[in-house]
């Protein structure tokens, strides 16, 4: 599947502009290409109860499911300058669930598969094989 990274980054930048980040002043946007060609996106949404803030990836995954589900094949996350931003540890786990090991990430060091940014991951199959 051909991945238009510039288009994906552009969607992430549009989402970043919608971020609600009055506490960290660190807006984040993310966009994901789904296997059926859809693009889903999200922005971070903070809260006065700081620990309840939602990362941009949470919003994107919610949109993925709401709009029909499917497998993420490529993800671009950006900071307020529109530059590539690495997903935090928790969000790598979210991306693993819906992208798997081959989902490509627009990492700060270049495009990398999820298997490299979350090696030896725990995933849904562990619930089956270790039950
Ligand atoms: N943030 C994200 O939205 N995604 C990440 O992967 C890294 C961190 C947000 C959370 C918080 O609103 C702000 O960035 C500063 O940590």
């Amino acid at each position: 599947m051909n991945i238009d990274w510039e288009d994906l980054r552009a969607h992430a930048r549009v989402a970043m502009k919608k971020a609600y980040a009055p506490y960290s002043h660190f807006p984040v946007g993310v966009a994901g290409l789904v296997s059926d060609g859809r693009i889903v996106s999200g922005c971070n949404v903070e809260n006065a109860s700081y620990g309840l803030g939602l990362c941009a990836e949470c919003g994107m995954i919610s949109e993925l499911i709401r709009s029909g589900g499917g497998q993420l094949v490529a993800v671009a996350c950006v900071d307020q300058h529109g530059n590539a931003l690495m997903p935090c540890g928790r969000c790598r786990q979210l991306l693993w669930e819906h992208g798997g090991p081959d989902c490509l990430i627009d990492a700060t060091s270049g495009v990398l598969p999820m298997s490299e940014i979350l090696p030896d991951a725990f995933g849904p199959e562990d619930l089956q094989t270790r039950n």
Side-chain angles (χ1 to χ4, degrees):
M1 188 175 188
N2 182 52
I3 296 160
D4 185 343
W5 286 104
E6 265 318 309
D7 186 53
L8 206 54
R9 290 175 194 126
H11 277 83
R13 289 176 190 129
V14 168
M16 179 271 291
K17 294 286 184 193
K18 303 271 178 64
Y20 177 73
Y23 307 109
S24 71
H25 304 289
F26 194 89
V28 177
V30 66
L33 175 64
V34 188
S35 55
D36 64 5
R38 264 150 61 226
I39 290 182
V40 291
S41 61
C43 61
N44 54 337
V45 180
E46 298 183 347
N47 193 277
S49 180
Y50 299 156
L52 300 184
L54 302 173
C55 281
E57 292 87 338
C58 298
M60 180 185 74
I61 296 295
S62 291
E63 187 185 324
L64 171 72
I65 301 304
R66 180 202 55 76
S67 62
Q71 185 93 359
L72 290 169
V73 297
V75 172
C77 184
V78 299
D79 64 17
Q80 62 192 305
H81 308 293
N83 296 323
L85 181 74
M86 294 306 291
C88 75
R90 179 181 182 277
C91 290
R92 292 178 198 201
Q93 187 71 38
L94 293 182
L95 296 175
W96 183 272
E97 180 92 10
H98 300 281
D102 300 327
C103 177
L104 297 173
I105 305 299
D106 189 27
T108 49
S109 58
V111 173
L112 293 173
M114 276 302 299
S115 57
E116 285 191 40
I117 73 160
L118 192 64
D120 301 325
F122 171 84
E125 65 286 348
D126 287 299
L127 296 177
Q128 305 303 325
T129 59
R130 293 162 188 280
N131 206 344

